[in-house]
């Protein structure tokens, strides 16, 4: 049993697993930020442009018991087809995909620019410096 625990510990502390865990945590936080951008900033503007539309409350009740006018209340009354919420999630996805595309595009541009720059010349070695000094001293004697 201790061999299995030792092997699991070695696996869990490998750099890739830790990096993946950090990426998942940051991704979840990023998802909440983008969700807030869409819900709190983008969708109200879309609603104002289209005459006060609020996609989050667009639904169709799937039973006669559903008479509420808000999605949360309608879900308490019974099954609903929440197509407005689905539209909001699709817009969230498109915004996240666009932002990630722009980030990757920026990273690719930085990589291309870094590849174009020639590397800095290496400093002369001690032998080269010494040989240069000898050459200069010999040139002064002549």
């Amino acid at each position: 049993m201790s061999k299995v625990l030792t092997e699991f510990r070695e696996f869990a502390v490998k750099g890739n697993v830790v990096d993946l865990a950090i990426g998942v945590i940051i991704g979840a936080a990023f998802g909440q930020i983008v969700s807030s951008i869409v819900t709190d900033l983008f969708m109200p503007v879309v609603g104002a442009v289209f005459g006060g539309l609020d996609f989050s409350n667009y639904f169709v009740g799937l039973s006669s018991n559903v008479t509420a006018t808000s999605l949360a209340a309608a879900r308490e009354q019974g099954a609903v087809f929440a197509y407005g919420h689905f539209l909001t999630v699709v817009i969230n996805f498109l915004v996240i995909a666009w932002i990630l595309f722009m980030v990757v595009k920026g990273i690719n541009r930085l990589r291309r620019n870094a590849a174009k720059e020639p590397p800095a010349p290496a400093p002369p070695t001690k032998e080269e410096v010494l040989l240069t000094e000898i050459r200069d001293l010999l040139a002064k004697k002549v």
Side-chain angles (χ1 to χ4, degrees):
M1 185 67 169
S2 83
K3 184 178 178 182
V4 172
L5 291 176
T6 303
E7 190 175 342
F8 177 75
R9 186 185 72 210
E10 288 173 5
F11 168 76
V13 295
K14 281 186 180 178
N16 293 342
V17 174
V18 174
D19 292 345
L20 179 62
I22 291 170
V24 168
I25 292 168
I26 290 174
F30 181 73
Q32 289 178 349
I33 290 170
V34 172
S35 183
S36 176
I37 288 171
V38 171
T39 303
D40 301 330
L41 303 177
F42 186 72
M43 292 307 288
V45 171
V46 170
V49 168
F50 290 105
L53 294 177
D54 180 14
F55 291 123
S56 63
N57 280 319
Y58 280 27
F59 64 93
V60 174
L62 298 178
S63 73
S64 59
N65 296 337
V66 179
T67 58
T69 57
S70 72
L71 180 59
R75 283 185 171 159
E76 290 177 8
Q77 293 177 345
V80 293
F81 183 72
Y83 65 92
H85 181 70
F86 174 75
L87 287 174
T88 302
V89 170
V90 168
I91 291 171
N92 278 348
F93 170 77
L94 293 174
V95 170
I96 290 171
W98 179 255
I99 290 171
L100 289 177
F101 169 73
M102 296 306 287
V103 167
V104 169
K105 184 176 178 181
I107 290 171
N108 288 340
R109 181 179 300 137
L110 290 174
R111 285 183 182 166
R112 280 192 302 269
N113 290 343
K116 288 180 185 177
E117 296 175 8
T125 64
K126 290 180 183 179
E127 292 174 347
E128 290 173 336
V129 171
L130 183 60
L131 289 173
T132 303
E133 290 174 3
I134 293 171
R135 182 199 64 204
D136 294 343
L137 287 173
L138 289 173
K140 286 182 184 178
K141 286 185 177 181
V142 174

